[in-house]
Amino acid sequence: MCKFIGVEILAANALIEALENERGSSVTFSKLEEYGIKVVRFLETTYKEQAVILYNENQVGNRILNYTEYFEVTDDSITVKEGITATDLRRKFRAPLTYEILKAFLCEDARKVIVSA
């Protein structure tokens, strides 16, 4: 079975890592893409699960705009809005995840993309 991961879920999980590791409150689209590749690879190698990130440059803003209370989108990054915490993002975007997808977001290779300088 193929798993589908929305770009808003990907962005929220990347931003949780950035916030918790004091790497700021923004993630560039290039970092987000790299993070997504690592997540998909983890799912494929660890669980033999195919995964697709629902990501289209023309639609990223539209998918994120559904969550304007959490994010702001610029030309090259996604930023957590003022007053939103990692805990807020965790409740909204991690609580409903399957175990396998959560493990993929937390895998060391994916996390390094966000937390490395």
Side-chain angles (χ1 to χ4, degrees):
M1 180 189 287
C2 187
K3 305 247 185 221
F4 295 96
I5 302 168
V7 70
E8 69 281 6
I9 304 296
L10 184 72
N13 280 278
L15 288 163
I16 290 167
E17 293 300 329
L19 289 168
E20 289 182 341
N21 290 280
E22 299 178 359
R23 294 293 182 202
S25 60
S26 294
V27 174
T28 64
F29 286 122
S30 61
K31 284 276 188 191
L32 191 60
E33 185 175 1
E34 188 179 348
Y35 181 67
I37 289 167
K38 299 290 187 179
V39 167
V40 168
R41 282 191 188 142
F42 180 87
L43 287 167
E44 290 173 353
T45 58
T46 305
Y47 298 107
K48 309 300 182 239
E49 298 262 357
Q50 295 294 312
V52 174
I53 305 289
L54 300 176
Y55 179 89
N56 175 325
E57 275 187 42
N58 298 329
Q59 295 178 352
V60 169
N62 293 338
R63 290 185 67 85
I64 298 296
L65 286 177
N66 290 337
Y67 298 97
T68 55
E69 68 268 29
Y70 297 97
F71 310 116
E72 292 177 355
V73 178
T74 63
D75 290 339
D76 67 342
S77 66
I78 298 174
T79 304
V80 176
K81 280 199 162 180
E82 185 84 23
I84 299 296
T85 66
T87 301
D88 297 329
L89 295 177
R90 185 178 278 105
R91 281 188 194 121
K92 177 70 178 173
F93 296 99
R94 277 195 180 164
L97 295 178
T98 65
Y99 175 79
E100 295 85 3
I101 292 177
L102 179 59
K103 289 292 283 184
F105 283 131
L106 297 174
C107 81
E108 192 60 31
D109 282 348
R111 291 182 72 249
K112 279 183 193 175
V113 171
I114 305 301
V115 301
S116 295

